[in-house]
Amino acid sequence: MTDAEAGCARTTMSSVMERSIPRIKDDIAYTRSFKELIRTIDLIQQSRLPVLLIGEAGSGKNQAIFCLASSLRRPVIRINCSGDLRTSSLLGRMSPTEDGHFRWQDGMITQAIRDGYWLVLDEINALEADILFSLHGLIDEGRISVANNSEIIDAHPDFRLFATMNPSRYFATKPLNQALMDRMAVVEVEFDPEIDTHMLRRLSLPPDDEAGFLKLVDSIRSACKEGQISQNFGHRTMDNVTKLAPLFGLDRALDIAFTSKLEEVERAAVKTMIYDFMRKLAR
């Protein structure tokens, strides 16, 4: 590779990484609790320990990482581990070239390690055991061994590992193995009532109706925690409801953003909760 080609490659890589820095919306509510969560994650990543965030769906786990990465101008590769992922797409594979030879192509994990991205493994406990095991050496030694390429990749100084998972009581989830969890700093993330209130203020409800709606949301979350329904009413859902309500009305917005996503056998109980709230709202 000539000096000119090397310079062009560096420029291209810099541009790609710049585009990988998260873009944060202007309406994020930086409440006291949310700022403290971001600060906690920042202090841990400065020590280069991997961070595992455990919390309900829609509680802001990924959002906190993205906000921190954006403020520090760090590029992020996020992998949704609950999908149908192959080892080759994560660690890499030998790929045929135009001249009939084969060339190693990094997967998303090895790319992050090699080039210094922040790697976010969303729902990490859904990954296959062989992938999880490969992370042990990465955390312990700061390098990863890629068998298919006969290569040991040292982690870039800017590389950081983050992971998120829902509580183990969630349907179709499995516990994370203890050996990996022991290697990570664990932070529990709770729903933030201040964020709920911040988003609900968009609807300009009377104080009593606002309090009633927040009580409804708490009831739904309690039902999920007790295993009565499979979907939780997270901050993301609250955000969607408050955006849809001016267009469709509050009851229809709740149906579109939440109730219709439930299993059919679960909907009746939730619809009863919503009906009771809407009846009080109409008085």
Side-chain angles (χ1 to χ4, degrees):
M1 180 182 291
T2 65
D3 290 344
E5 289 173 330
C8 182
R10 286 193 297 270
T11 300
T12 301
M13 174 61 69
S14 176
S15 176
V16 169
M17 295 185 76
E18 181 71 22
R19 291 198 301 271
S20 299
I21 297 171
R23 297 179 180 180
I24 304 302
K25 296 179 180 178
D26 295 333
D27 60 352
I28 293 293
Y30 286 92
T31 65
R32 182 168 53 87
S33 296
F34 190 58
K35 287 190 288 188
E36 181 59 30
L37 174 60
I38 294 173
R39 178 177 177 274
T40 298
I41 297 171
D42 188 21
L43 291 174
I44 295 172
Q45 71 83 18
Q46 287 179 39
S47 71
R48 305 194 67 175
L49 275 173
V51 183
L52 172 61
L53 302 180
I54 301 178
E56 304 283 346
S59 58
K61 303 184 294 294
N62 284 295
Q63 189 66 68
I65 298 170
F66 294 160
C67 285
L68 176 60
S70 179
S71 68
L72 298 178
R73 307 297 297 165
R74 297 306 313 150
V76 173
I77 291 178
R78 175 190 177 188
I79 301 174
N80 186 342
C81 302
S82 60
D84 182 20
L85 295 173
R86 297 179 181 273
T87 301
S88 59
S89 66
L90 296 176
L91 296 181
R93 63 189 179 92
M94 298 302 293
S95 178
T97 62
E98 293 181 359
D99 58 4
H101 295 83
F102 284 86
R103 177 179 59 86
W104 174 256
Q105 182 178 1
D106 280 342
M108 291 182 284
I109 290 178
T110 45
Q111 179 190 355
I113 295 168
R114 192 190 301 274
D115 296 332
Y117 285 80
W118 281 15
L119 176 64
V120 180
L121 300 177
D122 194 15
E123 300 187 48
I124 185 176
N125 52 327
L127 279 179
E128 295 298 326
D130 59 334
I131 301 295
L132 292 173
F133 185 75
S134 71
L135 298 177
H136 292 192
L138 173 63
I139 296 171
D140 291 342
E141 303 171 13
R143 57 179 57 182
I144 190 170
S145 177
V146 184
N148 289 350
N149 193 34
S150 301
E151 181 184 10
I152 296 176
I153 303 174
D154 290 319
H156 189 285
D158 292 334
F159 170 76
R160 296 292 185 273
L161 175 61
F162 302 86
T164 72
M165 60 182 283
N166 298 327
S168 57
R169 59 177 171 74
Y170 269 63
F171 297 93
T173 61
K174 55 188 177 182
L176 194 64
N177 73 73
Q178 190 64 45
L180 182 56
M181 187 172 285
D182 286 345
R183 288 171 163 83
M184 308 182 84
V186 179
V187 179
E188 293 189 0
V189 182
E190 303 287 346
F191 286 123
D192 186 346
E194 290 184 61
I195 292 179
D196 289 328
T197 302
H198 171 82
M199 289 188 284
L200 192 55
R201 292 274 161 81
R202 299 169 183 166
L203 301 182
S204 301
L205 296 175
D208 289 347
D209 295 341
E210 183 179 285
F213 189 87
L214 293 173
K215 186 176 180 180
L216 168 66
V217 171
D218 285 341
S219 297
I220 293 174
R221 288 172 179 168
S222 294
C224 182
K225 193 171 185 178
E226 293 167 5
Q228 298 173 19
I229 57 176
S230 56
Q231 299 286 328
N232 214 330
F233 200 104
H235 294 318
R236 191 180 303 112
T237 303
M238 177 72 86
D239 186 38
N240 290 337
V241 168
T242 58
K243 289 177 179 177
L244 292 170
L247 303 174
F248 299 100
L250 190 52
D251 55 343
R252 180 64 175 146
L254 283 164
D255 186 47
I256 296 172
F258 181 69
T259 315
S260 61
K261 300 175 184 177
L262 298 172
E263 297 292 335
E264 189 171 349
V265 295
E266 302 170 348
R267 293 179 189 175
V270 175
K271 281 183 175 291
T272 298
M273 294 181 196
I274 294 173
Y275 173 77
D276 289 342
F277 166 72
M278 295 303 301
R279 186 179 58 181
K280 293 176 182 177
L281 196 65
R283 291 176 181 172

